[in-house]
Amino acid sequence: TLDVAVELGGAWIRIDLNWDLAEPAQGQWNWAPFDAVIDGAKARGLKVYATLAYTPAWASSGNRRNDGAN
């Protein structure tokens, strides 16, 4: 996918930095999936726009409106 972005002349990619994946339990971080994408983008000269989204269940007030923990 990153190669296609370069082939199409893209300069930026957008990724969702999902907090629930980065910190599934409080204080337990896993940056590996994000590092892989960012490293791959940088290697191709692409800039990365990352949006922070998706609260993990442990940091949420819960499913108060029947819309999930996020």
Side-chain angles (χ1 to χ4, degrees):
T1 302
L2 295 173
D3 290 333
V4 171
V6 172
E7 288 173 21
L8 292 172
W12 287 83
I13 63 162
R14 177 184 178 256
I15 64 169
D16 292 330
L17 201 158
N18 296 354
W19 181 17
D20 61 338
L21 297 177
E23 191 182 14
Q26 189 170 13
Q28 295 180 2
W29 294 93
N30 178 18
W31 294 109
F34 308 104
D35 287 343
V37 173
I38 292 168
D39 290 345
K42 286 173 60 177
R44 291 165 177 83
L46 295 167
K47 296 175 185 168
V48 178
Y49 174 77
T51 61
L52 180 61
Y54 302 110
T55 305
W58 64 264
S60 173
S61 60
N63 186 9
R64 292 183 295 160
R65 287 183 260 163
N66 200 26
D67 57 356
N70 297 328

